[in-house]
Amino acid sequence: VQLQASGGGLVQAGGSLRLSCGASKRIGSFDRMGWYRQAPGKQREEVAVIISGGGTIYEDSVKGRFTVSRDSAKNTAYLQMNNLKPEDTAVYFCHATSRACIECPLNTYWGQGTLVTVSS
């Protein structure tokens, strides 16, 4: 399974960007699909995830500003980022997990990172 992330770039504080993550398989088969980010000198952290039932989970600092969504017809997930702040600057990674059965091992997939830079 391959995940292809795109959409990063340079934006001024208060601006918006939309990240896309295209998958090589049906995204409905994923238990979770979403985004992590890693800022310089910091650990990778989960930013937003959409779970198989459609529910979403957000890291506290992005609540109300970021929205994760998916388009099953396009096998693509999105991260709409509004009101961006300099502290959002990081490499953003697409991430997904799947499990063939309840007792089967968890499969984890990562896309390549896409850099988001927010200038003040």
Side-chain angles (χ1 to χ4, degrees):
V1 176
Q2 292 185 337
L3 302 177
Q4 182 72 37
S6 61
L10 173 63
V11 64
Q12 289 187 332
S16 298
L17 282 174
R18 189 178 79 157
L19 305 183
S20 299
C21 176
S24 62
K25 67 176 287 186
R26 186 174 60 87
I27 64 172
S29 66
F30 294 141
D31 301 316
R32 298 165 66 95
M33 189 173 186
W35 300 88
Y36 279 69
R37 69 184 178 187
Q38 187 166 19
K42 295 187 177 181
Q43 290 188 331
R44 191 174 295 189
E45 63 176 357
E46 188 172 54
V47 176
V49 63
I50 186 164
I51 59 178
S52 59
T56 54
I57 303 170
Y58 296 95
E59 194 271 329
D60 286 345
S61 69
V62 307
K63 287 179 180 177
R65 300 188 297 122
F66 290 12
T67 303
V68 61
S69 62
R70 63 187 178 189
D71 184 334
S72 297
K74 296 182 178 179
N75 287 329
T76 300
Y78 303 96
L79 184 67
Q80 178 66 43
M81 305 184 293
N82 298 327
N83 190 23
L84 282 161
K85 303 177 180 180
E87 51 264 42
D88 295 318
T89 295
V91 178
Y92 284 71
F93 297 89
C94 182
H95 173 262
T97 62
S98 68
R99 198 190 298 266
C101 64
I102 294 177
E103 297 176 346
C104 294
L106 187 69
N107 298 308
T108 302
Y109 312 104
W110 290 96
Q112 89 289 4
T114 184
L115 178 62
V116 172
T117 303
V118 184
S119 63
S120 57

